[in-house]
Amino acid sequence: MINYDDFLNKNVVDIKPSGIRKFFSIAEEMDDVISLGVGEPDFLTPWHIRQMGISALEIGSTRYTANAGLLALRKEITAFFERKYGVKYNPKSEVIVTVGGSEGIDMCIRSLIVPGDEVLVVEPCFVCYKPIVETCGGKAVSVVTKNENSFKLTADELEAAITDKTKLLILPFPNNPTGGIMRKDDLEAIASVIEKHNLFVLSDEIYSELTYGSERHVSIASIPGMRERTVVINGFSKTYAMTGWRLGYAVGPAEVIAQMTKLHQFAIMSAPTNSQIAAIEALRNGDGDIEKMLSEYDMRRRFTVNAFREIGLDCFEPEGAFYVFPCIKSTGLSSEEFCEKLIMSKKVAVVPGNAFGDCGEGFIRASYCYSIENIKEAIRRIGEFVKELGEADGNKS
């Protein structure tokens, strides 16, 4: 009898499965479930982008590209950064095209972190950062953002978490799950702390184009002194509704991108060719598509926030991404209990807040990247659920 514990990597065995996927899997096995759980746009990839991908297949563009990606795409990525944020990158040495933004995050962390390094992870946050750090032998240190601070990272919070072993700060803004963002003055305040302690930054900006109001996203790479100590991760999944195309990218100093490309060579070879060709079209001619989707998301955002407040759940108003993070502490249930009872009794799937870090306990994440009809019905059912919980408590007393 083989004892597989003798063979398996303990660092991997100890990783907990994604708390997002748990409820997605439950929902898949039930009928008539409305899921607000997964952050996947309900829009189709715009036709002109799909058409370019189809055309690439039809003309036989099916071979490997350069490891770092098509140079034409890397040039479009650098042009995008220059016109959006005023930051210039060399397309030949400071850009790598990856299989989704997630691969870029993985390659960046693995290129930087060795056993004993400490990595500051701003929470609540997406689920992948800590496990990757831990598989590298690093120590992930939570830096908790607060509702009362609009879930922004403050300079004081950052300063308090730094030790002599801290090497990397992971900055996930616009934020999944809270929808919090960092304005220019917020970034300038933490930049001085980053420089003071000689830290490197991984800035996950996958939701950069999904911000609301007159002030659009500011990349930390555009703050003086930050470009040379930052790798920015971005991609096409959220911005252009291209989740299944699996395409992302990283931009940063040539010295770091070179090491990421080395890992990418051995693990992946190159990102899908027809996806890269479609992405060129997205960057060249997709700004109008972004604005249309952003307008629809904004309408859903305002409706969803108000609807949660009307059913008695305090809800921070997100300024980016496409999630709300309502507080469910008033129900007396833990995040896990709330989500489990909700899906079983009302067939609505949301994600417990503690899936995004221990500090998310007492919250749930709901996505508004679904149709307004689904959102309305889901929140109607959640309202019923919350009311029934209150009535049950009243009967007990």
Side-chain angles (χ1 to χ4, degrees), residues 90-104:
N90 185 332
K92 293 184 178 180
S93 61
E94 295 183 315
V95 185
I96 179 174
V97 180
T98 59
V99 180
S102 297
E103 191 218 341

Side-chain angles (χ1 to χ4, degrees), residues 16-21 37-40 99-106 109 120-133 140 142-143 145 170-179 202 204-207 233 237-238 246 321-323 325 351-360 365:
K16 294 180 181 179
S18 167
I20 299 174
R21 287 291 162 178
V38 179
E40 179 163 35
V99 180
S102 297
E103 191 218 341
I105 293 166
D106 184 30
I109 293 172
L120 303 183
V121 181
V122 179
E123 291 185 338
C125 68
F126 185 52
V127 297
C128 77
Y129 310 124
K130 278 190 170 183
I132 298 171
V133 170
S142 299
V143 185
T145 60
I170 297 179
L171 200 63
F173 292 97
N175 184 265
N176 169 15
T178 67
L202 189 169
D204 184 354
E205 302 181 19
I206 194 72
Y207 296 98
I233 304 294
S237 294
K238 316 298 183 179
R246 303 313 303 131
F322 41 51
Y323 308 101
F325 203 55
V351 183
N354 63 346
F356 307 96
D358 291 343
C359 61
R365 189 195 77 173

Side-chain angles (χ1 to χ4, degrees), residues 20 37-41 80 85 125-126 129 172-181 203-212 216-218 232-240 243 290 294 297 319-323 356 365 367-369:
I20 299 174
V38 179
E40 179 163 35
F80 170 86
Y85 312 123
C125 68
F126 185 52
Y129 310 124
F173 292 97
N175 184 265
N176 169 15
T178 67
I181 64 171
S203 185
D204 184 354
E205 302 181 19
I206 194 72
Y207 296 98
S208 63
E209 300 313 292
L210 302 181
T211 58
Y212 308 100
R216 291 300 173 88
H217 174 72
V218 177
V232 178
I233 304 294
N234 210 320
F236 301 86
S237 294
K238 316 298 183 179
T239 302
Y240 301 100
T243 53
I290 296 172
L294 186 64
Y297 287 140
E319 296 179 87
F322 41 51
Y323 308 101
F356 307 96
R365 189 195 77 173
S367 174
Y368 52 86
C369 62

